Amino acid sequence: MPWMLPTIWKNLFSRPVTRRYPFKDIREPFSGYRGKLHFDMEKCNLCSACAQLCPSNAIVVDKEAKTLKYNPFACIYCATCVEACPRKAITMDTHYSPPATVKSEETCRP
Ligand code: SF4
Ligand code: SF4
């Protein structure tokens, strides 16, 4: 036990090694960061290529109802849908998806 005293003493007077995210020390995203998804429904033709390739079933296309539903809580931000979309209707920005207390889906319509 006494051999821990120098470490305890040092830690008492040094800065914490963790960051106070999201309140302070927010880092700029690195290049190629995969952040929030955006669907441009003016370009989308509901072909459902994105939904078929999504590994976590985060996108559901309903051609009859003409809707595309996106579940950000199921999404693993792999960007497969962004690369697969033939109309370039899906883009990703460089912001973190915000935390939420209620799980919800986004419904997009052309
Ligand atoms: S980023 Fe990946 S997991 Fe998220 S919706 Fe697109 S394909 Fe699905
Ligand atoms: S977002 Fe792209 S891949 Fe998905 S349904 Fe629309 S056009 Fe097809």
Side-chain angles (χ1 to χ4, degrees), residues 22-39:
F23 306 107
K24 287 172 86 177
D25 304 329
I26 298 173
R27 283 182 174 164
E28 286 299 310
F30 51 84
S31 101
Y33 177 80
R34 296 189 294 225
K36 284 193 295 188
L37 262 70
H38 299 277
F39 294 85

Side-chain angles (χ1 to χ4, degrees), residues 39 43-51 61 68 84-87 89-90:
F39 294 85
K43 291 182 182 172
C44 176
N45 64 358
L46 298 173
C47 71
S48 80
C50 54
V61 173
L68 181 153
C85 178
R87 306 286 295 260
I90 313 173

Side-chain angles (χ1 to χ4, degrees), residues 37 54-56 58-59 70 75-81 92:
L37 262 70
C54 176
S56 59
I59 302 175
Y70 167 62
C75 179
I76 57 170
Y77 301 92
C78 63
T80 301
C81 56
M92 283 180 139

Side-chain angles (χ1 to χ4, degrees), residues 62-102:
D62 185 337
K63 290 185 185 183
E64 285 188 13
K66 296 191 173 162
T67 58
L68 181 153
K69 285 188 180 171
Y70 167 62
N71 181 352
F73 296 94
C75 179
I76 57 170
Y77 301 92
C78 63
T80 301
C81 56
V82 178
E83 290 161 16
C85 178
R87 306 286 295 260
K88 304 285 178 222
I90 313 173
T91 51
M92 283 180 139
D93 68 23
T94 55
H95 296 94
Y96 299 108
S97 285
T101 54
V102 178

